Amino acid sequence: MMKKRKKFSKFNFRILGTCMVCKLELDESNAYIINENEFNVYFHIDCPKCKSSSIIGISNILHPHITSFGILTDLTKQDFKRLDKIEQLTPDDVLTYHLYAKIK
């Protein structure tokens, strides 16, 4: 009897890739969803063998075509959880900083 898999994302996909560094097959157990909306999902995944981390993005905006990318990173799942709690910068914040830096 096949074990029922827990739904990883509302897209209900499986991670079929391998680690970009050591080529170990990866699965959802080491992944953390960073952001997900109706067309895209971005997640962080750690390799249990070589301890490398990647950010993976999958887009279905051009349905039925799916686009994906992967980027090696030194950010951890805890970094993303911490950053998720920080208030986002607004365009006014950037302009204020720019004007402040210009004066100094």
Side-chain angles (χ1 to χ4, degrees):
M1 185 165 148
M2 187 180 250
K3 185 179 174 185
K4 187 171 181 183
R5 188 171 55 87
K6 185 177 96 174
K7 189 174 178 182
F8 172 63
S9 148
K10 66 181 173 184
F11 291 106
N12 200 24
F13 61 83
R14 285 193 65 207
I15 297 173
L16 299 174
T18 58
C19 172
M20 290 185 244
V21 177
C22 73
K23 306 302 180 207
L24 179 77
E25 284 190 33
L26 299 172
D27 64 39
E28 299 88 7
S29 66
N30 295 306
Y32 168 75
I33 293 178
I34 299 167
N35 191 323
E36 184 175 34
N37 61 41
E38 116 182 65
F39 299 111
N40 307 299
V41 61
Y42 302 96
F43 58 93
H44 178 279
I45 191 162
D46 293 318
C47 175
K49 181 179 176 186
C50 72
K51 307 298 183 211
S52 66
S53 297
S54 301
I55 298 171
I56 310 293
I58 300 173
S59 176
N60 193 21
I61 201 161
L62 299 173
H63 184 73
H65 305 289
I66 295 176
T67 303
S68 66
F69 70 87
I71 302 169
L72 286 172
T73 184
D74 60 350
L75 295 172
T76 66
K77 289 179 182 70
Q78 290 74 27
D79 291 332
F80 284 104
K81 290 176 182 177
R82 183 178 47 82
L83 290 170
D84 203 27
K85 296 175 184 175
I86 296 173
E87 190 175 329
Q88 291 185 351
L89 290 176
T90 67
D92 286 339
D93 294 332
V94 175
L95 181 59
T96 300
Y97 176 76
H98 175 73
L99 293 173
Y100 173 78
K102 195 173 182 179
I103 293 170
K104 288 230 161 200

